Amino acid sequence: MNVLQYVNPLQGTASTFRFSNGNTLPLVARPFGMAAWSPQTDEAGKGWFFHPSHRHFEGIRLTHQPSPWIEDYGHLTILPQTGPLIVSAAKRSSSFRSEDMSIKPDYFRVKLRRYNTLLELSPTERCASMRMTFEAIQEARVLVAPFAGESSITIDPGRRRLTGYTRANSGGVPENFAMYYVIDFDCDLDVQASGTWDQDGKASIHLHEVGNRTSAFIGLNIPESGEVNLRIGTSFISLEQAITNLTQEIGSKSFDLVRAEATQAWEETLNRIQVEDQDEDKISTFYTCLYRVCLFPRMWHEFTAQGEKVHYSPYNGQIVKGPMYCDNGFWDTYRTSYPLFSLLFPSRLGEILESYVNAYKEGGWMPKWSSPGERSAMPGTLIDAVFADAFVKGIEGYDVQSAYEGLLKHASQAAEDAHFGRKGVRAYQAFGYLPADQFHESVSNTLDYVYGDFCIAQLARSLGKDEEYTLLMDRARNYAKLLDPSVGFMRGKRADGSWDEPFDPIEWGGAYCEGGAWQCSWAVQHDIVGLAESMGGKDVFLARMHELLSTAPLFKVGSYGLEIHEMSEMASINFGQFAISNQPSFHIPYLFAAVGSPAGTQYWVRKTAKELFSSAPDGLPGDEDNGSLCAWYIFACMGMYPLCPGVPEYVIGSPMFERMTLHLEKGKQIVIEAACNAPNNCYVRSVQVNNESHQPLFFTHDQLIDGAFIQFDMSDIPQVKHVEDKNLPYSMSVR
């Protein structure tokens, strides 16, 4: 099935610093590939270096940027040029017509009007094949421009080759970090028209230079056909390894063959899920979201000439055996991306987890936000949930004992370097929460620690660590320490036990991360029933959920001091205080089902997916964040959601396609059919699994991974009936 035709990499790219429609890049890459490529239209925009409304092209950019807030590393741009040599990004740029630029996961093409040149690119995992077709063959050259940082350039006319490295980065790297690259040309180089330029734009006819942002211009003796092919290899290990990568992945392959292989790689990956429906816009949104899920985390390991898997460690600067994956924020991705991997790519997930164990062994701490090393962004240590979820689902391929050791370390020990581990771990152990008068974002961090402890406990139980299991499960109840019954929200508490004053549920910041009390009081995925009982019972809890979704989307900027983009995005839609634009709200629609009211879940999940997602440049309701938001949409379409990673269950939602088939690794299938599905038929009348009636409001992972035939009967009328506790999704207080 040809599904690549439905993917639009421009999804979410119509974003700015102040308002996110995804904050994505139109990446041309292999699935989970180390090297990604994107058009650059505005270098001055820093993390926002591309926008679909721009009509000037500054170069095709080798990028490793996972988020505009994290920015790039090991990056450079490549541009064909004719006429006078002009090197600054803004001045060298060429206009293009929108219809002259094509961006697909496997292929990029743009016609540069200023230079009358066609540029094409197709990626491999660590390399790329590039084809340039010049209409004017005189005064033709290629510009290679790294970014700020030490850069080395060597032009070798005899070998028709350029080699170099760049140390450009935005943090999270050892001192010896470099991205090495080699570019082979299939035409002779014009030595007299080749050279370098420095950070000030001063050009010189030198074939070798080292300096800050040293860049290269390579004169070309173009054949009469006007066609020049470039083969580009990259490595974080060495120049020799970049050449090895180029030999292994491209060698003598033609551009068209590289493109055909890239197409096949994406078709095989995306066809893990096949959907059937009359609505092609919905199909396009689905496969575009699945493409985004399969970009991160990024492979960082490479293969020696002997086939050995090795990597440069962004944690200790050494060359180490084994896998490595980078560019992931676990605060975002634990909720949706990794649970989806457990179904679609369990073998790769095992390799990813082994790489995180390697990160622990190399750096001494489990990663929290890697790009490529530790960036220490966002609350908590939610890699806890990534490992727990994989462990309870039987994912193999990693050192479980070492994983547990690393997780327990940050749950029990303070790091000397605040970039690592949990901040305030001693205070958390002493109080059972982080005091708001001592720690920023105290509520968000505390709730993430509490849930993280629950997750680590799942490994402790199976590994026979009984004392540690008991301690961690006791701490998993600490969320109650921050629940103020008088206001019905989680609230900052001081070291003396008094509540932080004043309190306003629409004020953001302070004790909360990227939200306020309305958004951040529900991060108790492991005990929603217990939370409801603490608030006065399920009826009170449901009333609060309805209030959340009907309260005007008002906010106060609070400690942020300005309107951050998440506030703007929530205020731009009529979904109450439900800020689907940010991860703490992802599970909110599923809380209805968690306490036995599935119709509320079905209505709000369907409404959110239908109204707020598309494949368009403005097609996402907030930061996409390494696949996490798009994976939310994939689960919404499936009619299920991993409410509590660390528990092998998926709460039932509202399926969106007439038929969906998931092709599992071991040859089994999950087939999901939705009879009587229609735009207004969001409610589930009944469910059958393998032709038997299914009463629980969840599916187990074992039910799915062994292959399942799931039949939903849909209706436009909500079903109201009593749900026994045994049929509710997992809550620690119930089972």
Side-chain angles (χ1 to χ4, degrees):
M1 180 179 176
N2 177 11
V3 298
L4 199 56
Q5 62 180 317
Y6 293 110
V7 176
N8 181 15
L10 290 174
Q11 180 198 46
T13 59
S15 300
T16 65
F17 176 87
R18 293 191 179 276
F19 196 91
S20 173
N21 285 306
N23 265 333
T24 62
L25 289 169
L27 296 179
V28 182
R30 292 287 181 97
F32 306 100
M34 187 176 87
W37 303 82
S38 169
Q40 176 179 295
T41 59
D42 182 20
E43 180 182 306
K46 296 186 177 180
W48 291 265
F49 61 80
F50 172 84
H51 196 281
S53 69
H54 293 168
R55 288 296 171 266
H56 268 244
F57 179 81
E58 297 177 349
I60 186 73
R61 178 160 165 167
L62 169 61
T63 177
H64 306 94
Q65 176 172 295
S67 162
W69 309 106
I70 296 294
E71 296 193 46
D72 217 336
Y73 64 89
H75 46 311
L76 55 79
T77 57
I78 299 175
L79 179 73
Q81 186 181 70
T82 60
L85 174 66
I86 302 173
V87 298
S88 76
K91 292 182 179 180
R92 73 181 183 233
S93 67
S94 169
S95 65
F96 64 93
R97 297 177 181 175
S98 59
E99 64 267 25
D100 286 344
M101 179 180 282
S102 174
I103 309 175
K104 302 298 287 184
D106 61 327
Y107 175 70
F108 172 81
R109 184 191 76 241
V110 65
K111 176 66 179 294
L112 304 180
R113 293 286 157 175
R114 178 178 181 179
Y115 301 126
N116 292 316
T117 301
L118 179 67
L119 169 63
E120 300 170 274
L121 178 142
S122 192
T124 68
E125 289 181 343
R126 300 163 188 85
C127 308
S129 183
M130 191 178 294
R131 182 164 62 193
M132 300 175 180
T133 306
F134 295 83
E135 293 184 16
I137 64 175
Q138 303 300 320
E139 286 192 286
R141 68 188 67 84
V142 170
L143 308 183
V144 178
F147 286 74
E150 181 182 285
S151 173
S152 173
I153 293 286
T154 300
I155 302 170
D156 186 342
R159 293 186 176 181
R160 299 175 167 180
R161 172 175 285 180
L162 180 146
T163 55
Y165 66 78
T166 174
R167 300 194 191 278
N169 70 86
S170 304
V173 299
E175 288 187 4
N176 66 344
F177 165 82
M179 192 282 294
Y180 302 89
Y181 59 95
V182 55
I183 304 176
D184 284 344
F185 299 80
D186 72 347
C187 70
D188 289 335
L189 308 187
D190 185 345
V191 179
Q192 300 304 315
S194 300
T196 63
W197 77 86
D198 62 19
Q199 61 182 326
D200 298 319
K202 182 180 179 181
S204 59
I205 307 299
H206 293 160
L207 299 185
H208 174 72
E209 198 70 65
V210 179
N212 183 32
R213 204 173 183 179
T214 296
S215 304
F217 56 96
I218 304 97
L220 305 175
N221 290 318
I222 297 177
E224 290 186 7
S225 66
E227 181 179 304
V228 176
N229 286 274
L230 284 65
R231 296 178 174 88
I232 307 162
T234 75
S235 171
F236 291 106
I237 294 174
S238 66
L239 176 58
E240 292 74 19
Q241 184 63 46
I243 295 171
T244 297
N245 292 344
L246 182 60
T247 300
Q248 291 176 335
E249 296 188 6
I250 296 182
S252 60
K253 294 175 185 175
S254 68
F255 178 90
D256 291 331
L257 179 55
V258 171
R259 181 183 177 185
E261 291 177 347
T263 302
Q264 181 180 3
W266 274 111
E267 289 288 1
E268 290 177 354
T269 299
L270 297 176
N271 269 291
R272 290 292 181 96
I273 307 181
Q274 293 178 330
V275 297
E276 300 174 28
D277 204 90
Q278 300 301 311
D279 187 341
E280 293 218 340
D281 287 340
K282 189 165 61 176
I283 294 174
S284 178
T285 302
F286 181 86
Y287 282 113
T288 299
C289 285
L290 187 55
Y291 144 79
R292 293 220 162 269
V293 170
C294 297
L295 291 170
F296 297 98
R298 177 176 283 123
M299 275 185 289
W300 238 64
H301 52 265
E302 307 172 43
F303 292 90
T304 67
Q306 293 73 40
E308 186 177 28
K309 191 181 299 181
V310 295
H311 64 272
Y312 167 82
S313 172
Y315 300 97
N316 64 20
Q318 299 177 14
I319 309 303
V320 188
K321 294 181 180 179
M324 181 56 63
Y325 284 76
C326 297
D327 296 323
N328 224 237
F330 301 108
W331 188 80
D332 305 310
T333 53
Y334 88 85
R335 307 166 197 265
T336 54
S337 298
Y338 288 97
L340 188 57
F341 294 163
S342 72
L343 289 169
L344 297 182
F345 313 113
S347 295
R348 183 181 291 275
L349 178 55
E351 181 180 68
I352 291 171
L353 296 177
E354 181 64 12
S355 84
Y356 298 154
V357 172
N358 289 339
Y360 164 63
K361 292 177 178 178
E362 293 159 22
W365 296 91
M366 281 289 185
K368 297 185 294 184
W369 218 123
S370 66
S371 183
E374 185 57 65
R375 301 299 294 275
S376 194
M378 310 313 295
T381 52
L382 287 162
I383 196 170
D384 303 333
V386 174
F387 273 102
D389 194 59
F391 180 77
V392 298
K393 291 175 178 176
I395 302 297
E396 299 176 339
Y398 63 99
D399 182 346
V400 176
Q401 291 286 349
S402 293
Y404 176 72
E405 176 186 294
L407 300 175
L408 187 65
K409 180 178 179 179
H410 64 225
S412 56
Q413 298 180 34
E416 293 183 6
D417 185 338
H419 280 82
F420 300 99
R422 294 179 176 178
K423 66 179 180 181
V425 66
R426 297 301 182 211
Y428 173 67
Q429 291 170 334
F431 295 98
Y433 62 92
L434 291 187
D437 51 340
Q438 298 178 13
F439 296 94
H440 181 55
E441 299 177 341
S442 59
V443 168
S444 293
N445 272 292
T446 295
L447 294 181
D448 286 346
Y449 294 175
V450 168
Y451 171 57
D453 286 344
F454 168 83
C455 290
I456 301 170
Q458 307 315 300
L459 278 77
R461 177 174 55 185
S462 294
L463 294 175
K465 310 291 186 180
D466 295 340
E467 290 186 11
E468 291 161 359
Y469 170 75
T470 300
L471 171 66
L472 291 164
M473 288 298 283
D474 285 344
R475 284 170 29 174
R477 296 178 173 85
N478 282 348
Y479 67 86
K481 294 179 181 292
L482 295 185
L483 179 63
D484 181 357
S486 69
V487 297
F489 290 103
M490 297 292 178
R491 187 172 175 184
K493 181 180 283 188
R494 297 171 179 167
D496 63 5
S498 63
W499 295 113
D500 212 19
E501 297 287 356
F503 175 77
D504 188 335
I506 67 169
E507 183 171 313
W508 286 40
Y512 311 100
C513 177
E514 295 181 357
W518 273 118
Q519 293 75 38
C520 301
S521 292
W522 323 106
V524 190
Q525 297 94 314
H526 60 294
D527 198 16
I528 298 300
V529 171
L531 175 63
E533 294 301 328
S534 298
M535 295 179 68
K538 294 177 184 177
D539 290 341
V540 173
F541 182 82
L542 286 171
R544 179 50 60 91
M545 289 294 101
H546 287 296
E547 184 183 359
L548 183 154
L549 288 154
S550 60
T551 295
L554 303 176
F555 61 87
K556 294 180 180 178
V557 300
S559 65
Y560 286 102
L562 76 163
E563 182 174 336
I564 62 174
H565 72 92
E566 291 90 350
M567 300 172 188
S568 308
E569 292 140 21
M570 182 190 74
S572 71
I573 58 176
N574 293 316
F575 280 69
Q577 291 285 327
F578 171 42
I580 185 61
S581 56
N582 209 17
Q583 283 74 18
S585 288
F586 275 15
H587 68 302
I588 284 177
Y590 293 94
L591 297 182
F592 291 93
V595 294
S597 184
T601 289
Q602 293 153 15
Y603 174 82
W604 285 106
V605 170
R606 177 72 70 91
K607 179 178 174 66
T608 303
K610 179 182 176 182
E611 296 183 12
L612 302 183
F613 288 78
S614 79
S615 62
D618 63 351
L620 295 172
D623 280 2
E624 201 283 322
D625 286 330
N626 309 136
S628 62
L629 186 55
C630 282
W632 187 96
Y633 181 81
I634 298 297
F635 275 118
C637 291
M638 291 170 61
M640 62 186 78
Y641 184 80
L643 176 61
C644 181
V647 174
E649 295 178 359
Y650 306 84
V651 62
I652 293 174
S654 177
M656 293 181 60
F657 287 98
E658 297 170 5
R659 182 183 173 93
M660 176 186 291
T661 304
L662 283 74
H663 299 278
L664 307 181
E665 267 189 1
K666 295 183 179 180
K668 302 290 182 68
Q669 294 181 345
I670 303 170
V671 178
I672 303 168
E673 290 186 350
C676 302
N677 212 351
N680 295 325
N681 289 12
C682 66
Y683 299 107
V684 177
R685 185 156 41 204
S686 65
V687 181
Q688 288 190 332
V689 177
N690 299 329
N691 297 312
E692 294 185 1
S693 177
H694 182 81
Q695 297 303 316
L697 299 183
F698 60 90
F699 303 120
T700 67
H701 185 74
D702 284 346
Q703 277 182 302
L704 301 179
I705 208 69
D706 287 337
F709 178 39
I710 302 172
Q711 295 168 291
F712 288 89
D713 184 20
M714 307 302 293
S715 170
D716 61 350
I717 301 173
Q719 309 297 302
V720 180
K721 57 184 178 181
H722 174 71
V723 180
E724 298 180 32
D725 282 353
K726 68 178 182 179
N727 289 330
L728 293 176
Y730 177 88
S731 277
M732 189 174 70
S733 296
V734 177
R735 58 181 174 93

